[in-house]
């Protein structure tokens, strides 16, 4: 399951109006969703987790594109991501693809292209190995730790009131 910060990021993204908060218009998102449903390696849950990471990177990268008082809508071309989702055979490779991508400004100053680099494309046929299984385990432990930290910050000392760590 997504952790709270990812859910919050996605909620904020889908509710953004471009006037009061920056809105990213994710072009080809329907293709990403349908390809993730068709690829047995990639689940919708994993896609949304990667999208939350992408949104974080977009906020950082596009901060300088925005002018005060102007509409804050930036189009993001996800066509390469949709193709990558269709082709990738390893969950961990997809889960970490944002760290190996580039955001390239388009000639239209309010549009960026999400480009998969060779570092992603050359790994599409990687199979699961002991290393990737270890990486999954470490990622799950980090998610559980994050959930425990969120619960502690929220003052949920009683385990019955806290989010289930096994749901993560």
């Amino acid at each position: 399951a997504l952790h709270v910060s990812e859910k919050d990021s996605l909620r904020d993204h889908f509710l953004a109006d471009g006037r009061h908060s920056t809105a990213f218009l994710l072009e080809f998102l329907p293709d990403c969703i349908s390809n993730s449903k068709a690829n047995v390696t990639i689940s919708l849950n994993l896609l949304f987790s990667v999208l939350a990471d992408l949104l974080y990177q977009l906020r950082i990268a596009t901060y300088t594109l925005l002018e005060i008082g102007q509409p804050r809508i930036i189009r993001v071309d996800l066509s390469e991501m949709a193709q990558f989702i269709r082709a990738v055979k390893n969950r961990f490779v997809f889960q970490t693809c944002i760290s190996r991508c580039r955001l390239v400004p388009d000639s239209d100053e309010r549009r960026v292209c999400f480009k998969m680099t060779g570092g992603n494309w050359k790994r599409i046929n990687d199979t699961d190995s002991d290393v990737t299984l270890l990486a999954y385990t470490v990622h799950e432990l980090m998610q559980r730790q994050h959930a425990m930290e969120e619960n502690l910050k929220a003052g949920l000392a009683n385990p019955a009131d806290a989010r289930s760590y096994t749901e993560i």
Side-chain angles (χ1 to χ4, degrees):
L2 296 173
H3 42 86
V4 174
S5 61
E6 291 172 323
K7 289 178 183 178
D8 289 346
S9 176
L10 291 168
R11 181 200 61 229
D12 292 347
H13 162 71
F14 287 114
L15 293 176
D17 61 5
R19 188 168 198 130
H20 298 97
S21 58
T22 302
F24 296 105
L25 176 62
L26 302 178
E27 299 171 349
F28 300 97
L29 181 59
D31 292 341
C32 292
I33 292 171
S34 65
N35 289 348
S36 73
K37 289 169 69 175
N39 184 336
V40 296
T41 305
I42 310 300
S43 65
L44 275 175
N45 195 53
L46 181 58
L47 173 63
F48 289 137
S49 178
V50 170
L51 281 176
D53 189 17
L54 172 63
L55 291 168
Y56 175 77
Q57 297 301 324
L58 282 168
R59 285 184 200 100
I60 293 169
T62 60
Y63 183 75
T64 57
L65 293 176
L66 305 173
E67 297 176 25
I68 297 174
Q70 296 295 315
R72 298 180 298 177
I73 299 173
I74 298 175
R75 295 181 0 238
V76 182
D77 180 342
L78 296 181
S79 58
E80 280 195 26
M81 183 179 203
Q83 293 170 7
F84 185 75
I85 292 168
R86 186 174 355 132
V88 70
K89 309 262 187 295
N90 184 305
R91 184 177 190 268
F92 183 72
V93 170
F94 179 66
Q95 188 174 23
T96 59
C97 71
I98 301 299
S99 65
R100 293 180 302 278
C101 76
R102 287 185 341 193
L103 293 170
V104 179
D106 197 354
S107 57
D108 174 357
E109 52 191 54
R110 296 218 180 263
R111 186 172 191 259
V112 295
C113 294
F114 179 78
K115 297 287 187 184
M116 290 292 181
T117 62
N120 279 318
W121 288 112
K122 70 181 180 184
R123 297 182 70 193
I124 61 170
N125 291 313
D126 285 1
T127 57
D128 280 338
S129 66
D130 291 342
V131 174
T132 57
L133 294 175
L134 179 61
Y136 293 147
T137 304
V138 169
H139 181 73
E140 288 174 12
L141 289 171
M142 289 175 60
Q143 283 186 314
R144 288 179 183 178
Q145 178 183 358
H146 185 73
M148 286 190 281
E149 289 171 355
E150 288 175 350
N151 287 332
L152 287 172
K153 286 179 185 175
L156 299 174
N158 182 354
D161 296 335
R163 288 181 50 220
S164 171
Y165 305 121
T166 58
E167 293 175 8
I168 296 174

